Amino acid sequence: MNIRALAAKAVFDVLERGISLSAALPEQQAKVSGKDKGLLAEICYGVMRHLPQLDKLVSDCLSKPIKGKQRIVHQLLLVGCYQLYFTRIPAHAAISETAEACRQLGFENLVKVVNGVLRSIQRNQAPLSEDNDTLKFNMPGWIVKSLKAAYPNQWQEIIEQSHQRPPMWLRNNALKQTRDEYLSTLAEAQIAASAGSSPQAILLESPTDVGLLPGFFEGHASVQDGAAQWAATLLEPQNHELILDACAAPGGKTCHILELAPEATLVAVDFDDKRLKRVSENLSRLNLQAEVIHGDASDIDSWWQGDKFDRILLDAPCSATGVIRRHPDIKWLRKAKDIEELAALQSKILDHCWQWLKPGGTLLYATCSIMPAENRDQINAFLARTADATLDVLPQSNTGETGWQILPGQQQMDGFYYARLRKQA
């Protein structure tokens, strides 16, 4: 099956079945090799980034909507349209390969439709529509509205940054070498890189296959965004402490905590059993030890009978609106009502984790969201109802800000939020 057919399958899984692209794409990439994997990813991510404009182009060329079992052909047309507008693939090749994909998907009766629509789009080369905010910004209207309200002076820059291709960040493993030593090692391997703002962060000048990174499989470094690396640093873990990493999968922060405090006793829990396997894989590669538990962070009592924790990292389930540049399908999988539902879940988990924190202990609340309801408002409400909680003023935050909101693209990092809470002794 050709790349266009596989791309249509992945896009169909996201838009029609609600499956994340990070789950749908690898299933299709497993069917190809080499550069084809990269082209398949480029097409799928591109369709997600430009979906409203592509969808309007295709819909305007169809005499009637494609529905039911044939719906995947509409996604295939999006794939074809993306190639015509956003890639260097010759138009004749893009059209013929996409028409062949229609045949391979089992819709011989629609091959002429695919051919005709794409040839019409190529012939007209109409400007991409900007008739409303959704089309102009390739972003759901509810997100645009929310950003305008929350960031009246920055919302357009936030949207622009959310469309950029993300850089590749590494986290140096301080148990193996200093950051400066690893930067030197990268330079010797002719991999251009620079130090980030957090102590072990390294920003690569251009993305690189992990197989080419010196010592990667021996645990000398890990791939982790610069914003996410602040979690372990702000938590300030100490050796011999009992630490909980709530909502731990896929384990990047779990491992970073242990790199900073290798003699700590760390419990990593997550509700998603499949993603929890990634935690164990990351621990194994880095030769680190933690107690990995499949459980619910809002019901610690059901799986933990030990002592209360000295420190808790709560990387809460969230809208992930701060990482749209890495996961553009988030725009189409999230709905406006999700924010309120997620805020309620975060509140529940936060209150329960607080009960399991020792007096004098530290809880670091984190999300990869830029929505105030999940961040600033969430923490303000928690502080108002929790008498024994105080909020640290983080040096990175703006004056008077509740916690630290990192916006997409700030210091080339993802959008993230942190609030460090102390429990009175």
Side-chain angles (χ1 to χ4, degrees), residues 261-277:
E263 295 178 42
T265 299
L266 194 144
V267 177
V269 65
D270 202 276
F271 190 70
D272 189 332
D273 197 22
K274 289 183 179 179
R275 295 184 74 234
L276 201 59
K277 292 176 182 176

Side-chain angles (χ1 to χ4, degrees), residues 1-7 25-42 44 104:
M1 196 168 280
N2 75 19
I3 292 171
R4 284 76 180 175
L6 298 177
L25 180 58
E27 183 179 338
Q28 305 306 328
Q29 283 182 313
K31 301 171 185 176
V32 295
S33 58
K35 292 182 179 179
D36 287 348
K37 289 182 186 290
L39 178 57
L40 179 54
E42 161 68 23
C44 291
Q104 292 180 6

Side-chain angles (χ1 to χ4, degrees), residues 88-351:
R88 297 179 180 177
I89 298 169
H92 67 88
I95 293 171
S96 64
E97 287 292 314
T98 305
E100 173 59 24
C102 185
R103 187 174 288 110
Q104 292 180 6
L105 289 168
F107 297 101
E108 180 78 38
N109 60 319
L110 291 175
V111 171
K112 288 184 178 179
V113 173
V114 169
N115 211 15
V117 167
L118 293 180
R119 287 192 182 283
S120 176
I121 289 171
Q122 180 214 359
R123 192 165 52 247
N124 295 331
Q125 282 293 305
L128 295 168
S129 175
E130 296 186 355
D131 289 350
N132 55 49
D133 278 355
T134 298
L135 288 165
K136 184 176 181 179
F137 299 111
N138 280 299
M139 190 78 73
W142 72 267
I143 294 184
V144 177
K145 183 179 178 181
S146 298
L147 293 179
K148 284 181 177 180
Y151 305 99
N153 300 319
Q154 300 159 291
W155 66 272
Q156 285 183 287
E157 174 65 14
I158 291 170
I159 291 174
E160 175 61 29
Q161 288 295 331
S162 294
H163 288 315
Q164 300 304 309
R165 294 167 189 260
M168 184 172 176
W169 287 86
L170 302 180
R171 184 186 76 243
N172 175 63
N173 184 354
L175 296 176
K176 297 286 188 179
Q177 69 273 308
T178 67
R179 179 171 63 178
D180 284 347
E181 286 170 345
Y182 195 65
L183 281 167
S184 296
T185 302
L186 288 171
E188 289 170 9
Q190 297 186 318
I191 298 173
S194 58
S197 59
S198 62
Q200 301 303 328
I202 294 173
L203 178 64
L204 297 188
E205 193 171 287
S206 59
T208 302
D209 188 298
V210 295
L212 300 176
L213 296 173
F216 179 82
F217 296 110
E218 292 74 42
H220 288 251
S222 299
V223 178
Q224 187 181 36
D225 184 77
Q229 291 188 46
W230 276 104
T233 300
L234 293 174
L235 184 66
E236 299 177 331
Q238 303 297 314
N239 284 325
H240 312 299
E241 289 183 330
L242 178 61
I243 301 172
L244 172 63
D245 185 358
C247 314
K253 300 176 187 69
T254 306
C255 294
H256 193 188
I257 291 168
L258 289 169
E259 288 170 4
L260 297 181
E263 295 178 42
T265 299
L266 194 144
V267 177
V269 65
D270 202 276
F271 190 70
D272 189 332
D273 197 22
K274 289 183 179 179
R275 295 184 74 234
L276 201 59
K277 292 176 182 176
R278 294 273 307 280
V279 179
S280 297
E281 290 168 1
N282 281 316
L283 287 166
S284 178
R285 181 178 67 85
L286 295 163
N287 195 29
L288 298 168
Q289 302 295 321
E291 185 171 354
V292 180
I293 297 175
H294 178 218
D296 186 348
S298 68
D299 187 19
I300 297 172
D301 314 60
S302 67
W303 49 263
W304 182 254
Q305 284 73 50
D307 293 337
K308 290 187 176 183
F309 297 92
D310 296 287
R311 296 178 198 267
I312 297 176
L313 170 61
L314 173 51
D315 186 7
C318 72
S319 63
T321 44
V323 294
I324 286 174
R325 65 179 188 171
R326 292 190 187 279
H327 306 285
D329 52 312
I330 286 167
K331 295 185 289 185
W332 318 117
L333 294 175
R334 288 275 177 254
K335 308 300 178 190
K337 63 181 178 61
D338 293 344
I339 304 301
E340 186 177 344
E341 293 172 0
L342 284 163
L345 176 61
Q346 292 155 1
S347 178
K348 179 183 177 183
I349 297 174
L350 182 52
D351 284 344

